[in-house]
Amino acid sequence: MTDTGVSFSCMHPRLTDHAVTTMLLAAMAAARAMAQPQCIALVDASGVVLAHLRMEGAKVLSLHSALAKAETAASINVPTHRVPTGVASAIAAATGGRVTSLPGGLPIRLSGHLLGGIGIGSGTGDQDIAVAMAALRAIGAEVFDGSS
C-alpha cells in the first residue's frame, strides 16, 4: 500500500439514538413546565432528520419552522437568531424557506464538535430558545443564551 497522506478514523462524534431520545424528553418536559406545547426537530450535522415531533396543541405550521431552525443551526453552526437580518429574507427565499433567522434553532455541540441542530417552534422566541437549551443541557452539550 502506498501512503496517500490521508488518514481515516472511525471515531466521529455523532448523536446516538439515546441522546436524541434524551433531548426529546427534556424538550417536552421544559415545554410542559411552561405550559407551551412545542414542535421539536433534531437533525444531524448534515441536516438529516433524526426526530421531528409535534406536541399536542402545538401549532401545525411550527413543524416546518422547527425543522428549518434545526437545519439552519446545523448548517451555519450558530443560533438561528444570529443570522444577519439584512440577508435573512434573501437567504430564506433562495433556500425555499429552509434557512431562517427565527429564534429557537441552536447547534448541538459537544466537546467542540458539531453534532447537529435542534429547532423548536410554537412559542415565543424566548420560549423556543429555553426549550432548546433544556434539551442541550440534558446531554451535556454547549448551551447558548438568547443574546449569543
Side-chain angles (χ1 to χ4, degrees), residues 1-2 14-15 18 26 38 43 63 68 78 110 135 141:
M1 287 173 70
T2 61
R14 62 182 173 75
L15 289 169
H18 179 74
Q38 295 280 19
V43 301
L63 278 169
V78 295
L110 193 61

Side-chain angles (χ1 to χ4, degrees), residues 15-96:
L15 289 169
T16 63
D17 296 340
H18 179 74
V20 169
T21 302
T22 299
M23 292 180 77
L24 277 174
L25 291 172
M28 291 169 57
R32 282 188 191 105
M34 65 177 60
Q36 176 56 60
Q38 295 280 19
C39 294
I40 305 159
L42 292 157
V43 301
D44 69 11
S46 298
V48 173
V49 177
L50 301 174
H52 199 198
L53 172 78
R54 177 180 165 261
M55 294 175 67
E56 292 177 50
K59 300 169 189 161
V60 174
L61 289 179
S62 293
L63 278 169
H64 301 291
S65 64
L67 184 56
K69 292 174 188 185
E71 290 175 333
T72 300
S75 176
I76 65 173
N77 196 12
V78 295
T80 53
H81 62 272
R82 289 182 38 198
V83 172
T85 54
V87 298
S89 294
I91 293 173
T95 61

